[in-house]
PDB file of all heavy atoms in Angstrom:
ATOM      1  N   LEU Z 475      19.824  15.722  12.894  1.00 96.00           N
ATOM      2  CA  LEU Z 475      20.780  14.765  12.429  1.00 96.00           C
ATOM      3  C   LEU Z 475      21.092  15.207  10.991  1.00 96.00           C
ATOM      4  O   LEU Z 475      20.358  15.902  10.362  1.00 96.00           O
ATOM      5  CB  LEU Z 475      20.444  13.277  12.494  1.00 96.00           C
ATOM      6  CG  LEU Z 475      20.056  12.829  13.927  1.00 96.00           C
ATOM      7  CD1 LEU Z 475      19.567  11.313  13.711  1.00 96.00           C
ATOM      8  CD2 LEU Z 475      21.196  12.757  14.786  1.00 96.00           C
ATOM      9  N   GLY Z 476      22.250  14.731  10.456  1.00 95.00           N
ATOM     10  CA  GLY Z 476      22.518  14.877   9.039  1.00 95.00           C
ATOM     11  C   GLY Z 476      21.536  14.204   8.086  1.00 95.00           C
ATOM     12  O   GLY Z 476      21.121  13.212   8.393  1.00 95.00           O
ATOM     13  N   HIS Z 477      21.353  14.917   6.978  1.00 95.00           N
ATOM     14  CA  HIS Z 477      20.276  14.436   6.113  1.00 95.00           C
ATOM     15  C   HIS Z 477      20.835  13.119   5.316  1.00 95.00           C
ATOM     16  O   HIS Z 477      20.012  12.442   4.613  1.00 95.00           O
ATOM     17  CB  HIS Z 477      19.919  15.460   5.185  1.00 95.00           C
ATOM     18  CG  HIS Z 477      21.045  16.016   4.332  1.00 95.00           C
ATOM     19  ND1 HIS Z 477      21.926  16.847   4.816  1.00 95.00           N
ATOM     20  CD2 HIS Z 477      21.466  15.720   3.017  1.00 95.00           C
ATOM     21  CE1 HIS Z 477      22.936  17.121   3.961  1.00 95.00           C
ATOM     22  NE2 HIS Z 477      22.592  16.524   2.804  1.00 95.00           N
ATOM     23  N   MET Z 478      22.115  12.789   5.554  1.00 94.00           N
ATOM     24  CA  MET Z 478      22.646  11.492   4.905  1.00 94.00           C
ATOM     25  C   MET Z 478      23.057  10.444   5.925  1.00 94.00           C
ATOM     26  O   MET Z 478      23.764   9.551   5.697  1.00 94.00           O
ATOM     27  CB  MET Z 478      23.832  11.804   3.959  1.00 94.00           C
ATOM     28  CG  MET Z 478      23.548  12.719   2.834  1.00 94.00           C
ATOM     29  SD  MET Z 478      22.467  12.093   1.563  1.00 94.00           S
ATOM     30  CE  MET Z 478      23.573  10.997   0.730  1.00 94.00           C
ATOM     31  N   HIS Z 479      22.677  10.772   7.138  1.00 96.00           N
ATOM     32  CA  HIS Z 479      22.926   9.838   8.256  1.00 96.00           C
ATOM     33  C   HIS Z 479      22.113   8.603   8.093  1.00 96.00           C
ATOM     34  O   HIS Z 479      20.919   8.583   7.747  1.00 96.00           O
ATOM     35  CB  HIS Z 479      22.792  10.476   9.587  1.00 96.00           C
ATOM     36  CG  HIS Z 479      23.765  11.641   9.950  1.00 96.00           C
ATOM     37  ND1 HIS Z 479      23.924  12.171  11.203  1.00 96.00           N
ATOM     38  CD2 HIS Z 479      24.766  12.078   9.196  1.00 96.00           C
ATOM     39  CE1 HIS Z 479      24.875  12.996  11.161  1.00 96.00           C
ATOM     40  NE2 HIS Z 479      25.374  12.958   9.936  1.00 96.00           N
ATOM     41  N   PRO Z 480      22.661   7.412   8.555  1.00 95.00           N
ATOM     42  CA  PRO Z 480      21.760   6.190   8.445  1.00 95.00           C
ATOM     43  C   PRO Z 480      20.622   6.240   9.235  1.00 95.00           C
ATOM     44  O   PRO Z 480      19.515   5.696   8.859  1.00 95.00           O
ATOM     45  CB  PRO Z 480      22.844   5.047   8.983  1.00 95.00           C
ATOM     46  CG  PRO Z 480      23.817   5.819   9.745  1.00 95.00           C
ATOM     47  CD  PRO Z 480      24.008   7.236   9.029  1.00 95.00           C
ATOM     48  N   GLU Z 481      20.587   6.844  10.362  1.00 97.00           N
ATOM     49  CA  GLU Z 481      19.302   7.046  11.118  1.00 97.00           C
ATOM     50  C   GLU Z 481      18.138   7.754  10.387  1.00 97.00           C
ATOM     51  O   GLU Z 481      17.036   7.405  10.536  1.00 97.00           O
ATOM     52  CB  GLU Z 481      19.582   7.727  12.501  1.00 97.00           C
ATOM     53  CG  GLU Z 481      20.636   7.000  13.388  1.00 97.00           C
ATOM     54  CD  GLU Z 481      22.070   7.230  13.164  1.00 97.00           C
ATOM     55  OE1 GLU Z 481      22.313   8.066  12.134  1.00 97.00           O
ATOM     56  OE2 GLU Z 481      22.808   6.969  14.028  1.00 97.00           O
ATOM     57  N   ILE Z 482      18.685   8.783   9.723  1.00 97.00           N
ATOM     58  CA  ILE Z 482      17.678   9.516   8.909  1.00 97.00           C
ATOM     59  C   ILE Z 482      17.178   8.589   7.672  1.00 97.00           C
ATOM     60  O   ILE Z 482      15.882   8.689   7.462  1.00 97.00           O
ATOM     61  CB  ILE Z 482      18.298  10.778   8.296  1.00 97.00           C
ATOM     62  CG1 ILE Z 482      18.677  11.727   9.512  1.00 97.00           C
ATOM     63  CG2 ILE Z 482      17.345  11.530   7.338  1.00 97.00           C
ATOM     64  CD1 ILE Z 482      17.385  12.122  10.255  1.00 97.00           C
ATOM     65  N   PHE Z 483      18.080   7.778   7.089  1.00 97.00           N
ATOM     66  CA  PHE Z 483      17.500   6.901   6.047  1.00 97.00           C
ATOM     67  C   PHE Z 483      16.546   5.913   6.560  1.00 97.00           C
ATOM     68  O   PHE Z 483      15.614   5.605   5.950  1.00 97.00           O
ATOM     69  CB  PHE Z 483      18.749   6.249   5.355  1.00 97.00           C
ATOM     70  CG  PHE Z 483      19.687   7.143   4.562  1.00 97.00           C
ATOM     71  CD1 PHE Z 483      20.928   6.593   4.303  1.00 97.00           C
ATOM     72  CD2 PHE Z 483      19.189   8.218   4.022  1.00 97.00           C
ATOM     73  CE1 PHE Z 483      21.787   7.493   3.682  1.00 97.00           C
ATOM     74  CE2 PHE Z 483      20.035   9.049   3.286  1.00 97.00           C
ATOM     75  CZ  PHE Z 483      21.368   8.758   2.997  1.00 97.00           C
ATOM     76  N   GLU Z 484      16.715   5.479   7.852  1.00 97.00           N
ATOM     77  CA  GLU Z 484      15.738   4.514   8.409  1.00 97.00           C
ATOM     78  C   GLU Z 484      14.460   5.178   8.624  1.00 97.00           C
ATOM     79  O   GLU Z 484      13.313   4.722   8.418  1.00 97.00           O
ATOM     80  CB  GLU Z 484      16.339   4.062   9.817  1.00 97.00           C
ATOM     81  CG  GLU Z 484      15.414   3.003  10.406  1.00 97.00           C
ATOM     82  CD  GLU Z 484      16.067   2.426  11.712  1.00 97.00           C
ATOM     83  OE1 GLU Z 484      17.293   2.724  11.937  1.00 97.00           O
ATOM     84  OE2 GLU Z 484      15.374   1.637  12.448  1.00 97.00           O
ATOM     85  N   ILE Z 485      14.506   6.507   9.140  1.00 98.00           N
ATOM     86  CA  ILE Z 485      13.290   7.202   9.281  1.00 98.00           C
ATOM     87  C   ILE Z 485      12.538   7.436   7.958  1.00 98.00           C
ATOM     88  O   ILE Z 485      11.408   7.415   7.788  1.00 98.00           O
ATOM     89  CB  ILE Z 485      13.577   8.573   9.971  1.00 98.00           C
ATOM     90  CG1 ILE Z 485      13.947   8.380  11.354  1.00 98.00           C
ATOM     91  CG2 ILE Z 485      12.412   9.622   9.818  1.00 98.00           C
ATOM     92  CD1 ILE Z 485      14.514   9.592  12.097  1.00 98.00           C
ATOM     93  N   MET Z 486      13.351   7.763   6.994  1.00 98.00           N
ATOM     94  CA  MET Z 486      12.745   7.942   5.636  1.00 98.00           C
ATOM     95  C   MET Z 486      12.036   6.689   5.123  1.00 98.00           C
ATOM     96  O   MET Z 486      11.028   6.533   4.485  1.00 98.00           O
ATOM     97  CB  MET Z 486      13.763   8.403   4.591  1.00 98.00           C
ATOM     98  CG  MET Z 486      14.292   9.939   4.904  1.00 98.00           C
ATOM     99  SD  MET Z 486      15.765  10.170   4.021  1.00 98.00           S
ATOM    100  CE  MET Z 486      15.236  10.443   2.323  1.00 98.00           C
ATOM    101  N   SER Z 487      12.652   5.379   5.446  1.00 97.00           N
ATOM    102  CA  SER Z 487      12.075   4.132   5.105  1.00 97.00           C
ATOM    103  C   SER Z 487      10.818   3.869   5.838  1.00 97.00           C
ATOM    104  O   SER Z 487       9.854   3.398   5.278  1.00 97.00           O
ATOM    105  CB  SER Z 487      13.148   3.093   5.349  1.00 97.00           C
ATOM    106  OG  SER Z 487      12.668   1.814   5.137  1.00 97.00           O
ATOM    107  N   ASP Z 488      10.574   4.404   7.119  1.00 98.00           N
ATOM    108  CA  ASP Z 488       9.452   4.233   7.863  1.00 98.00           C
ATOM    109  C   ASP Z 488       8.507   5.109   7.222  1.00 98.00           C
ATOM    110  O   ASP Z 488       7.203   4.741   7.159  1.00 98.00           O
ATOM    111  CB  ASP Z 488       9.766   4.713   9.356  1.00 98.00           C
ATOM    112  CG  ASP Z 488      10.642   3.873  10.117  1.00 98.00           C
ATOM    113  OD1 ASP Z 488      10.857   2.676   9.621  1.00 98.00           O
ATOM    114  OD2 ASP Z 488      11.067   4.179  11.198  1.00 98.00           O
ATOM    115  N   ILE Z 489       8.802   6.260   6.817  1.00 98.00           N
ATOM    116  CA  ILE Z 489       7.844   7.221   6.119  1.00 98.00           C
ATOM    117  C   ILE Z 489       7.301   6.512   4.897  1.00 98.00           C
ATOM    118  O   ILE Z 489       6.125   6.521   4.567  1.00 98.00           O
ATOM    119  CB  ILE Z 489       8.519   8.601   5.841  1.00 98.00           C
ATOM    120  CG1 ILE Z 489       8.723   9.324   7.114  1.00 98.00           C
ATOM    121  CG2 ILE Z 489       7.624   9.475   4.863  1.00 98.00           C
ATOM    122  CD1 ILE Z 489       9.561  10.563   6.935  1.00 98.00           C
ATOM    123  N   LYS Z 490       8.151   6.009   4.046  1.00 98.00           N
ATOM    124  CA  LYS Z 490       7.799   5.296   2.814  1.00 98.00           C
ATOM    125  C   LYS Z 490       6.892   4.180   3.069  1.00 98.00           C
ATOM    126  O   LYS Z 490       5.804   4.123   2.443  1.00 98.00           O
ATOM    127  CB  LYS Z 490       9.030   4.763   2.183  1.00 98.00           C
ATOM    128  CG  LYS Z 490       8.798   3.915   0.913  1.00 98.00           C
ATOM    129  CD  LYS Z 490       9.955   3.417   0.308  1.00 98.00           C
ATOM    130  CE  LYS Z 490       9.583   2.477  -0.960  1.00 98.00           C
ATOM    131  NZ  LYS Z 490      10.806   2.126  -1.714  1.00 98.00           N
TER     132      LYS Z 490
END
Side-chain angles (χ1 to χ4, degrees):
L475 297 176
H477 57 285
M478 302 291 286
H479 289 187
E481 295 87 353
I482 294 302
F483 290 158
E484 183 176 353
I485 289 170
M486 293 166 71
S487 180
D488 293 345
I489 290 171
K490 175 178 176 177

